[in-house]
Amino acid sequence: MNVRNTLVGLCLLLLSQFAMADIVVVANPKAGIRWLTRDDVVNIYLGRYRRLESGLTAEPIDLSGEPEIKAMFYRKLVDKSLAEINAYWSRLVFSGQTQPPQMAANTAEALRRVAARPGALAYVERSKVDRRVVIIFEFGDE
Amino acid sequence: MLKNLSLLGLLLPGLALGLAPSPANAQTEAESPDAHPTFFIRGFGTLGLARSSSDQAEFVRDLSQPRGIKGGDWSARIDSVLGAQANWQATPEVELVGQIVSRYRYDESRTPEVMWAFAKWEPDTRVALRAGRIGADFMMLADSRLVGYSYLAARPSTDFFGPLFFSHFDGADASLTLPLGKGLVRGKVFAGKTQEKASDVSGIWDTSGSPVRGLILDYSTGSWQFRASAARIRFSNDFPLAPLPDLLRSFGASGAAGELSTAGKASRFYSLGVVYDQGPAQVQGMLNEIHHESGLFQNSRGGYLLAGYRVGALTPYAGVSWWKSTSKNLATGLPDVPFASLNQTFDSVATASAADQTTYTLGARWDVYPNVALKLQWDAVRGSSRSVFPVRAEQAGWNGRTNVISAVVDFVF
């Protein structure tokens, strides 16, 4: 039936949207982070406070090469557009304060850097998470 | 290789080339695949056109500007800026930062000037020490007033930031950030000496070498940020008023002459600010109070409230701001006969720093591209005729009222 097919199609579409939107923050297992709160992630990514409980300095990574994922991450984290995030960093950078997150061209590079540096953090799609890293924050389950 | 070049040497060619490189291609390739880039060149700029309706006085962005705009003519004078910055993370703890800016200056030129040139040492993520030429963070957001892309409105409120003609000083600051409750508290102290000049119809005032110091306390939690700051400057030089002070002294009015001196006298700046930033909504409110020991400047209070709400790429905003000074009721003590003209000159100098105005602002910011914003803004300045400090070249008949329309393009690269 056409209607039924359409409905199933819609459901699949919605599911895929949810799956796409499932972004998690990962860290190096050596960082000793068990879990971060949303405030912790905001403080790290917006450069307000980057000291981890272990004393390590958090080194957040932005997925500059994947703007859809980046946009989705900041939308979910602080409900800001990428333009607003850019404006925010312009103020801090050009007044000589904190540096913005480092840039990674893609998820694979971000994961590789997290795996290589104990303080590195990155946001990636849950489906891309592998054994080199651990999930330390997920949206909607705080 | 980078170590052999001075920061300035790195910046100047960048400015000469029109700063073409984007942050991505300006990064040097790191030697190790896991080390991130450590050198960045970035830039910012504003191309701004504005017109002010009044024929009787020139509207300026702040008191560092010797001339403004008037008579309904469109002009790019007051808001246009171009800046470039180099950051070099020399070691994980040490960063060198240099910034050069070309803007409309006290001498009416746009000669590029070194805005910042400092070394920053972060022995710990909670502590930052900076030394060199650094931003004069006299009031909340005061150290990024030239980066139009970073704020909502076309320009920082003239009523609030107008009296602040300092952008930087040579010295040091230290800040400490600690978690407190659910938020973060940050304290910062700074001290140094200014290296700046201001100008007025009476001439150029060199404030170089004036000691400054101050402290800032911030608390941020969730969508809220609160700030209190206090700063002091002790002027090294007298404001150019010759021959008035000598004339006053020669007629025995040394007290009045002394009131007009600025050398060795302090000005104090206090400000309180609150920012609420939640998703598409942002609201800022700030208050300031400025005390001058010198009788040349009236004490003043100012404030602003600005609110915006993002709808897609468009953020309409509205604001109100004010700047009001209190007269010190100074007089020469000399009789009007035969000193009428001397008394008159003294009065006009003593009231030249009077401010009494409120500004209503409406505008919209359109984020055209991720690094480009277009803003259209209307400001209605509603003041009294005595409000002459905020403007330039006022003439008889200035009624304290003007309407300013601004169209600006802000960008960062």
Side-chain angles (χ1 to χ4, degrees), chain A residues 39 43 48-52 55-59 75 78-84 86-88 90-100 102-103 109 112-113 116-117, chain B residues 27 33-34 36 40 42-44 85 87 95 99 116 118 120 124-126 130 141 143-144 147 149-150 177 179 182 184 186 222 277 279-281 310 365 367 370-371 412:
Chain A
D39 282 343
N43 286 339
R48 292 174 183 162
Y49 192 73
R50 287 179 174 160
R51 189 182 160 90
L52 298 171
L56 271 176
T57 299
E59 297 172 16
R75 184 73 69 178
V78 284
D79 194 12
K80 292 285 180 194
S81 68
L82 285 187
E84 286 171 304
N86 282 348
Y88 171 84
S90 299
R91 184 167 74 71
L92 295 190
V93 165
F94 290 120
S95 60
Q97 297 181 43
T98 321
Q99 284 286 346
Q102 301 157 26
M103 297 184 276
E109 191 196 326
R112 193 175 48 72
R113 285 212 232 153
R117 286 183 74 85
Chain B
Q27 297 168 26
D34 297 320
H36 55 90
F40 289 91
R42 300 183 179 94
F44 61 90
Q85 180 171 308
N87 289 59
E95 185 183 18
Q99 187 187 91
W116 331 135
F118 62 82
K120 180 163 122 184
D124 181 298
T125 46
R126 297 166 293 188
R130 305 191 299 175
L141 312 179
D143 54 356
S144 55
V147 189
Y149 183 81
S150 72
T177 307
K182 286 202 77 181
L184 292 169
R186 186 181 76 119
D277 197 334
R310 168 173 50 80
R365 172 188 173 121
D367 283 286
N371 294 317
V412 291

Side-chain angles (χ1 to χ4, degrees), chain B residues 50 59-61 65 67-69 76-80 110 155:
Chain B
F59 176 86
V60 290
R61 182 185 169 101
Q65 303 192 324
R67 302 293 306 274
I69 53 170
R77 178 183 275 168
I78 61 170
D79 295 318
S80 300
R110 288 185 179 272
R155 69 181 71 79

Side-chain angles (χ1 to χ4, degrees), chain B residues 87-99:
Chain B
N87 289 59
W88 179 36
Q89 192 78 46
T91 76
E93 290 86 29
V94 177
E95 185 183 18
L96 301 178
V97 181
Q99 187 187 91

Side-chain angles (χ1 to χ4, degrees), chain B residues 31-264:
Chain B
E31 290 131 36
S32 136
D34 297 320
H36 55 90
T38 56
F39 182 71
F40 289 91
I41 289 186
R42 300 183 179 94
F44 61 90
T46 296
L47 193 66
L49 283 175
R51 73 183 284 273
S52 173
S53 61
S54 175
D55 284 323
Q56 269 79 43
E58 297 178 9
F59 176 86
V60 290
R61 182 185 169 101
D62 62 48
L63 294 187
S64 72
Q65 303 192 324
R67 302 293 306 274
I69 53 170
K70 69 165 195 174
D73 296 327
W74 287 96
S75 165
R77 178 183 275 168
I78 61 170
D79 295 318
S80 300
V81 169
L82 188 64
Q85 180 171 308
N87 289 59
W88 179 36
Q89 192 78 46
T91 76
E93 290 86 29
V94 177
E95 185 183 18
L96 301 178
V97 181
Q99 187 187 91
I100 285 184
V101 172
S102 163
R103 58 165 173 164
Y104 182 59
R105 274 155 53 103
Y106 69 91
D107 58 359
E108 299 193 47
S109 78
R110 288 185 179 272
T111 312
E113 60 193 299
V114 178
M115 211 43 105
W116 331 135
F118 62 82
K120 180 163 122 184
W121 181 46
E122 290 181 298
D124 181 298
T125 46
R126 297 166 293 188
V127 181
L129 302 163
R130 305 191 299 175
R133 176 163 294 183
I134 50 185
D137 207 358
F138 274 37
M139 299 186 216
M140 194 174 191
L141 312 179
D143 54 356
S144 55
R145 279 179 293 163
L146 297 173
V147 189
Y149 183 81
S150 72
Y151 44 80
L152 185 57
R155 69 181 71 79
S157 163
T158 299
D159 291 335
F160 191 85
F161 294 103
L164 203 62
F165 62 87
F166 302 97
S167 299
H168 53 71
F169 62 90
D170 294 347
D173 66 16
S175 66
L176 178 68
T177 307
L178 293 170
L180 180 73
K182 286 202 77 181
L184 292 169
V185 64
R186 186 181 76 119
K188 177 167 137 179
V189 290
F190 60 87
K193 287 190 171 181
T194 59
Q195 285 300 330
E196 271 174 297
K197 291 173 182 167
S199 85
D200 197 347
V201 278
S202 47
I204 289 170
W205 183 28
D206 187 355
T207 67
S208 302
S210 303
V212 296
R213 65 182 195 209
L215 55 93
I216 295 161
L217 208 59
D218 264 323
Y219 184 69
S220 57
T221 180
S223 307
W224 295 90
Q225 194 191 343
F226 305 90
R227 173 180 281 200
S229 76
R232 193 201 74 172
I233 177 165
R234 188 174 293 283
F235 293 113
S236 54
N237 293 320
D238 271 330
F239 191 88
L241 289 170
L244 183 62
D246 285 340
L247 271 174
L248 287 167
R249 273 188 205 97
S250 68
F251 293 115
S254 337
E259 280 290 350
L260 298 183
S261 80
T262 51

Side-chain angles (χ1 to χ4, degrees), chain B residues 5-21 39 41 84 86 100:
Chain B
L5 296 168
S6 79
L7 207 57
L8 213 61
L10 286 166
L11 263 172
L12 286 169
L15 202 68
L17 289 169
L19 297 151
F39 182 71
I41 289 186
I100 285 184

